[in-house]
Amino acid sequence: MEKRISPSSSSLSYQLLQRAGTRVKQLRQVHAHLIVTGAHRSRFLLTKLAILACGARNSTSYTRNISLTISNPDSYLFNSLIRVSSKLGSRQNDAVFFYNAMLFSLLTPSNYTFTSLIKSCATVSALSLGKCVHCHVVVNGFGFDSFVQASLVAFYAKCGEVRVARKVFDEMPERSVVAWNAMVSGYEQNGFSKEAVEVFRLMRDKGVEPDSATFVGVLSACAQLGALELGTWVHDHVIAHGLDTSVVLETALINMYARCGNVRKAREVFNGMKVRNVVAWTAMISGYGTHGYGKEAIELYELMKSHGPSPNEITFVAILSACAHAGLVNEGRRIFSSMTTNYGITPRIEHHVCMVDLLGRAGLLNEAYDHVLRLKTPSSAIWTALLGACKMHKNLDLGVEAAEQLLAIEPENSGHYVMLSNVYALAGKMDKVEKIRNIMIKKKLKKRVGYSVIEVDQKAHMFTMGDKRHPETSEIYGYLDDLMRRIGEAGYVTAQESVLHEVEEEEREYALRYHSEKLAIAFGLMKSKSENESLIRIVKNLRMCEDCHLAIKFISRVCNREIIVRDKLRFHHFKDGVCSCADYW
């Protein structure tokens, strides 16, 4: 006859399990106690043991063995094990193992089972496995379950399959705020910020109340687009409705304001935070850096060392980049050295890129080159930084060497050929420029298309060079032609260096006049009611050319307007004919 487990013994065993937590050594000791006392026959206690073991480190085989010893396991056991495994990221195989064990035990999976299993696949971007799980979802009749579908939307977006995610989203009969958030963040994280904003607008039109997670995704999209108006509306909405502001949401606000050109407002949000983690400090330092406010970035970094959390690897990338954009060479050297001596952080490739950039921009090309040579295997980013500095300072010999190293590493990257062509053009080596172009034609390599985005009335307008797709194209071109005439009368002359190497097929003067930056600025000015109404903000996906930089300085003076341009590298604040970068970018 089977021995019964006394209530007192069961209670004691449960207390021991609670105390052991997720420490494998202590769990094994309690497991031995269960066997000695006969409590191992309790499905409840073994289930508790298995779930705790699942959350412990290096416990995969132990957890599986426990689960296999439980007679007549129930759905709660396997659902719990799948859920815990899905939260651990690297335990995707465990989640699949327990799912298979569940099916082998002839237990029917639920929507709870599939949401956890899909989340596990999403965590490690296991696309093929996730598709198999999707098939099981349909076969088991959960194809239109709102919770499962929301998980599938997040899964496909995480794996980069945004179109599939949108297809699942569009087929949902009912969409929870979780599903809307998954679609917004899915677009934003895959670089489709405009689409993320469109989904958010649709969400509002449908009367779905957004939550903090929604706003984090939307703010990140606004940061990418430079959509300050919408980002400000989100901030005002959060305040007006008294929504709880987490560190994540406030950091998203800092990032949005900084990347949209309002670094003062970003600092206001930062100063108002009750709790600041290392991400928030780093976001504010990075914001100062991209605007060229190197001294402010260093002041905040020093404040962080005194009153904030210890800086991490990403913090050092932000502060070193700030030093590079502001020409603070000595400060950059000191901070780079302190990484190892004071914080025990070994510099990664990103930190070395910052140092090469810092030294190269300052004209210390030999020191920058020596820094590159000290690295065992310099990456393409390292050589790109050096090549950019050579272009800036017109050092042909070193520039050619850097370009050759780049082409050896990434022979199919068209950007490297373009940069080498620029170096040759600046040195007047037009025969070399023609040779590079012929190589690109032979390899069928094309330059990356540049575009500029401007926000007007909370709507993003995108322009490319010579773009005529905008419904107001005639008016924009007419306004720009008149604008170029006005700045010409004020002394503007086309930067010939840009004409030499910026275009290939179209007429050079025409192409320079209708670069995307100029079209976006003309549209912004045209839509402004008065000269003193507001500043103009645009975002450029590539680095500005010298001609546009020069032209915008004149435009800011002639039109008496402040213009902010965020290009690939940094912010440029144009006012009264002067740029904040002091032509150092």
Side-chain angles (χ1 to χ4, degrees), residues 5 20 170 225 263 273 346 357 371 378 387 425 427 436 476 500 517 540 557:
I5 306 169
D170 288 340
L225 292 171
V263 70
M273 294 179 72
T346 302
D357 190 33
H371 192 103
L387 179 56
I436 294 297
I476 295 170
L500 288 172
E517 301 97 309
K540 175 76 183 283
R557 189 174 72 193

Side-chain angles (χ1 to χ4, degrees), residues 549-567:
H549 191 265
L550 176 63
I552 298 171
K553 285 197 290 186
F554 275 92
I555 291 172
S556 70
R557 189 174 72 193
V558 168
C559 296
N560 190 29
R561 296 292 290 275
E562 184 177 354
I563 302 171
I564 298 178
V565 179
R566 188 184 92 199
D567 71 5

Side-chain angles (χ1 to χ4, degrees), residues 134-151:
H134 193 171
C135 291
H136 280 241
V137 165
V138 176
V139 169
N140 283 273
F142 292 98
F144 290 100
D145 182 273
S146 60
F147 295 102
V148 175
Q149 285 182 311
S151 298

